[in-house]
Amino acid sequence: MERRKKLLLFVSAALVTVMLVTVVSSTLSSASSRLGPAAQSGSVLFGPPTPIPGLTRTGTYIRIGVNKGGTLGWGNGTDGYGVGFQYPIGPQFESLAIWWWGEGYAVFYKTLSPTGAWVDNKAYWWPTLGWPPPAACKLTPVSFASVRNDANRAIIKAVLRTTDGALLLEFTFSFPKPQKYVLLETKISNLGNGTLRDVLYKRIVDWDIHWATTNSWTSDSHSAYASYFNATLKKTIELSVSGYTPTELGNLPAYVDLMAWDDIGPPPKRGPGVNDFQSHNSVLQFDGNAAIYYDLGEMAGRTAKTVYTVYQAGWNYLIAG
């Protein structure tokens, strides 16, 4: 009798666990479809409203596309897909310049008004907004150049300025072609003589691995990880984005949000929104959109701060579920 009771308790606990997992998965799917752009969940590909100018660079394992706005993803756009990040190499393996082209950024900063009040400002862009950046983005392109392109490394640099003349944004992508990662250096300069307060830089990355909008997501204090089992390749593809800052700024970014859909706007918000998901100890299966926060604090006049973002690719034989 005692053994039977234990067995019944075990079965009951298992059923409750399954029900909870089902409810959570359903909630995540519902939230992501409600918060994400319609194009992300539709059956028809929708890209940016205008062509996104940029350059393609191909390595041994991955292919990337860097645009003039300082993000990954360029191409016609109106046909729904382009070149952003491909691993393995091929259009069927595109994972960023597809559906909602959301590899982008937002920067927030406070300026002192003549009345002595601190005024909050923002500038932002990602390819789905179109090119050139719409007026609401508060950004003006300055320059775009291929700094290096040989067998070992490609370096591409995009520079933009905020329309109020307060900030200069320099995005330098360094791609070691024999490797499976891309390094992004972001330098933010205060162009004025006055101090800027509460400078916050968000890097936004919407992984849709191999065109699949539903991926398996986890996070830690400075990274967001997405994975997807490709049945044709018989491999689980692992893509990640990680943030780093120099020692004098602290070793890690301030925050990671896996559900950035509700705080990107436009216009984007400083905070993470209501649905700010993190998952350090379990896998979330949903249409995620990661944001990494770099809290740069106060910036004196004519000074600059630099932070780093790393995009990685890998794989294993684990089958999801």
Side-chain angles (χ1 to χ4, degrees):
M1 179 65 70
E2 190 65 27
R3 181 179 296 177
R4 185 179 179 185
K5 286 182 178 178
K6 289 182 178 179
L7 180 60
L8 287 172
L9 286 172
F10 176 79
V11 172
S12 298
L15 287 173
V16 169
T17 301
V18 170
M19 291 173 66
L20 284 172
V21 170
T22 302
V23 170
V24 171
S25 298
S26 175
T27 301
L28 289 176
S29 297
S30 174
S32 62
S33 62
R34 183 172 65 254
L35 296 169
Q40 188 82 336
S41 58
S43 59
V44 180
L45 293 177
F46 293 96
T50 55
I52 306 300
L55 297 170
T56 295
R57 295 292 182 259
T58 303
T60 306
Y61 301 102
I62 65 176
R63 172 181 290 150
I64 66 168
V66 178
N67 60 54
K68 291 187 175 183
T71 79
L72 294 171
W74 82 279
N76 184 35
T78 52
D79 56 11
Y81 57 90
V83 178
F85 194 101
Q86 298 175 6
Y87 172 73
I89 296 168
Q92 71 273 35
F93 304 123
E94 180 57 51
S95 300
L96 281 178
I98 193 73
W99 304 109
W100 184 77
W101 293 26
E103 209 285 309
Y105 55 88
V107 60
F108 304 83
Y109 55 100
K110 292 179 181 178
T111 53
L112 189 62
S113 72
T115 62
W118 287 97
V119 179
D120 206 3
N121 306 273
K122 62 176 71 71
Y124 58 95
W125 188 77
W126 43 85
T128 289
L129 294 170
W131 187 263
C137 294
K138 306 295 183 182
L139 287 169
T140 301
V142 175
S143 64
F144 181 71
S146 174
V147 178
R148 173 180 169 183
N149 185 32
D150 55 40
N152 293 310
R153 188 176 295 268
I155 299 177
I156 299 174
K157 184 174 183 178
V159 181
L160 297 94
R161 183 190 300 112
T162 58
T163 54
D164 61 2
L167 292 176
L168 187 70
L169 309 178
E170 299 175 71
F171 303 101
T172 304
F173 290 86
S174 182
F175 173 30
K177 293 183 179 180
Q179 308 300 338
K180 295 183 179 181
Y181 56 84
V182 178
L183 311 172
L184 167 61
E185 177 188 276
T186 301
K187 181 180 179 182
I188 299 177
S189 302
N190 178 358
L191 297 178
N193 295 317
T195 296
L196 298 177
R197 276 189 178 177
D198 303 324
V199 181
L200 176 69
Y201 167 56
K202 286 188 186 183
R203 195 72 194 187
I204 301 161
V205 182
D206 174 32
W207 291 121
D208 292 320
I209 303 176
H210 298 181
W211 298 35
T213 56
T214 298
N215 300 148
S216 299
W217 289 83
T218 57
S219 63
D220 60 28
S221 60
H222 69 112
S223 304
Y225 309 89
S227 63
Y228 170 73
F229 179 71
N230 187 308
T232 302
L233 298 178
K234 294 183 173 59
K235 293 179 179 179
T236 293
I237 301 299
E238 307 276 352
L239 302 181
S240 66
V241 57
S242 301
Y244 301 91
T245 59
T247 303
E248 63 269 22
L249 298 179
N251 292 323
L252 300 174
Y255 197 76
V256 176
D257 181 8
L258 295 181
M259 179 61 102
W261 291 122
D262 62 341
D263 60 278
I264 57 172
K269 307 171 188 174
R270 268 187 178 269
V274 176
N275 295 286
D276 53 327
F277 293 171
Q278 292 190 351
S279 185
H280 299 182
N281 60 351
S282 61
V283 175
L284 299 180
Q285 190 87 14
F286 75 120
D287 181 9
N289 185 18
I292 297 181
Y293 292 51
Y294 301 83
D295 191 337
L296 304 183
E298 189 171 287
M299 291 182 64
R302 304 296 173 179
T303 63
K305 291 186 178 182
T306 301
V307 299
Y308 301 91
T309 309
V310 182
Y311 307 80
Q312 295 185 16
W315 65 275
N316 61 56
Y317 280 123
L318 294 177
I319 299 176

